[in-house]
């Protein structure tokens, strides 16, 4: 779609949390190419501005909302209101922002547990509550929750992280039932190992072992790219996916079958 097409057909608005880097960035770029006006909500303001500027200079539409902590309800509500004011009703939400952690179960502190749950799970609760009214009013909506294959298989030293992502999968199924009658689909993508700043940092700290060996054990013999997730997300946000809801769409190179 060209920028002229955008002018003729006002774009549906999509919000991507954590859209300044990694898979959120790839999702934001892809949804912009798909014709959505994309709001990039991220803690990292420079990253959000950079991605939005590139999308805009390519002739698509993006808005950066930096310095927003999606684990704080007031910040979420204010950010979503700004998106609504500048881009219109929010009809697509990708709950992608997240943080990881590696800790023996017995060593996980209350602070670490609470932080992971707040950023990975409460954020999806706050963001979804903030936008679901727009989708209900439009009779059309798409919610995609980026969870994790660690919640499907279990993952040692990641009990807090995998628990937050498992709850996100349960949230997806509940909301699919509740929101389906309003024309809103809710699905989750649990990624396998995807090469992003998060994965690079985990590898650099030695949490992932030998990354080449990890890739060699996967059926597709490679680590995933952010665009692998963006492609699945693009489909789930499309009109074509209107009969797909409550689903776990694994994008993991065959790690979980
Ligand atoms: P990433 O490279 O760390 O990028 C995440 C982005 O989200 C960063 O810009 C980060 O900002 C931002 N962010 C973090 N906490 C935030 C908050 N409270 N409010 C707003 N923005 C926040 O991560 P990624 O690897 O792309 O991961 C994206 C999602 O996929 C996460 O939910 C992650 O758990 C999940 N996932 C990743 C993998 C993988 O292999 N990479 C596998 C399974 C699931 P800062 O950098 O400033 O913190």
């Amino acid at each position: 779609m060209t920028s002229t097409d955008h002018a003729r057909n006002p774009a549906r608005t999509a919000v991507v949390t954590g859209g300044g880097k990694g898979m959120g960035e790839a999702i934001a770029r892809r949804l912009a190419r798909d014709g959505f006006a994309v709001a990039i909500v991220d803690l990292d303001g420079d990253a959000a501005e950079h991605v939005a500027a590139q999308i805009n200079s390519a002739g698509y539409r993006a808005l950066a909302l930096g310095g927003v902590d999606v684990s704080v309800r007031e910040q979420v509500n204010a950010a979503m209101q700004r998106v609504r004011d500048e881009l219109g009703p929010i009809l697509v939400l990708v709950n992608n922002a997240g943080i990881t952690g590696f800790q023996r179960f017995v060593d996980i502190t209350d602070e670490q547990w609470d932080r992971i749950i707040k950023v990975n799970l409460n954020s999806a609760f706050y963001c979804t509550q903030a936008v679901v009214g727009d989708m209900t009013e439009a009779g059309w909506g798409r919610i995609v929750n980026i969870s994790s294959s660690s919640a499907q298989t279990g993952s040692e030293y990641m009990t807090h992280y995998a628990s937050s992502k498992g709850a996100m999968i349960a949230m997806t199924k509940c909301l699919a039932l509740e929101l389906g009658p309003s024309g809103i689909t809710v699905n989750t993508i649990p990624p396998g190992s995807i090469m992003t700043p998060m994965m690079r940092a985990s590898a650099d700290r030695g949490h992932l072992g030998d990354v080449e060996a990890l890739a060699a054990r996967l059926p597709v013999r490679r680590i995933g790219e952010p665009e692998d997730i963006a492609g699945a997300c693009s489909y789930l946000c499309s009109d074509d996916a209107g009969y797909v809801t409550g689903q776990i769409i694994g994008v993991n190179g065959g790690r979980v079958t």
Side-chain angles (χ1 to χ4, degrees):
M1 188 179 271
T2 65
S3 51
T4 323
D5 292 329
H6 278 285
R8 272 202 298 269
N9 304 311
R12 287 168 170 162
T13 295
V15 167
V16 182
T17 70
K21 290 194 204 96
M23 54 187 99
E25 173 181 353
I27 292 167
R29 291 181 189 280
R30 178 62 192 260
L31 292 183
R33 286 209 323 269
D34 288 347
F36 294 99
V38 178
I40 296 163
V41 176
D42 206 296
L43 256 186
D44 186 336
D46 291 342
E49 292 286 352
H50 176 71
V51 176
Q54 286 195 338
I55 290 174
N56 284 319
S57 65
Y60 304 110
R61 183 96 198 271
L63 172 70
L65 293 98
V68 178
D69 183 343
V70 289
S71 71
V72 180
R73 188 190 278 280
E74 294 70 27
Q75 293 189 29
V76 166
N77 287 345
M80 298 304 176
Q81 192 51 49
R82 207 185 128 205
V83 174
R84 210 171 274 123
D85 291 343
E86 298 201 23
L87 299 178
I90 298 161
L91 301 189
V92 171
L93 171 66
V94 183
N95 286 310
N96 163 80
I99 53 174
T100 192
F102 296 86
Q103 200 76 271
R104 275 170 15 118
F105 174 70
V106 292
D107 295 331
I108 296 173
T109 65
D110 288 358
E111 289 71 26
Q112 288 167 333
W113 180 271
D114 288 346
R115 184 74 195 137
I116 290 234
I117 296 292
K118 279 185 184 151
V119 175
N120 293 359
L121 180 62
N122 291 14
S123 63
F125 170 48
Y126 301 149
C127 290
T128 305
Q129 275 196 335
V131 306
V132 80
D134 289 6
M135 299 182 187
T136 305
E137 199 163 310
W140 191 96
R142 298 282 185 264
I143 299 169
V144 179
N145 293 324
I146 306 298
S147 53
S148 171
S149 58
S150 65
Q152 297 173 290
T153 59
S155 199
E156 60 193 347
Y157 312 127
M158 299 185 85
T159 303
H160 44 357
Y161 177 79
S163 298
S164 72
K165 297 297 191 176
M168 204 180 204
I169 292 172
M171 179 189 277
T172 301
K173 295 185 181 192
C174 296
L175 287 180
L177 300 181
E178 201 168 317
L179 301 178
S182 304
I184 302 166
T185 67
V186 191
N187 294 287
T188 183
I189 300 174
S193 299
I194 309 294
M195 194 45 81
T196 64
M198 175 189 281
M199 182 171 171
R200 243 171 256 121
S202 300
D204 290 348
R205 290 189 195 112
H207 294 307
L208 305 180
D210 179 344
V211 173
E212 280 183 21
L214 180 68
R217 284 196 301 275
L218 292 170
V220 303
R221 303 285 192 273
R222 68 172 175 88
I223 299 298
E225 296 296 332
E227 290 71 22
D228 291 314
I229 303 301
C233 195
S234 164
Y235 168 66
L236 291 174
C237 294
S238 71
D239 283 314
D240 282 346
Y243 205 57
V244 180
T245 195
Q247 300 305 305
I248 303 171
I249 309 294
V251 180
N252 54 41
R255 173 171 129 76
V256 184
T257 55

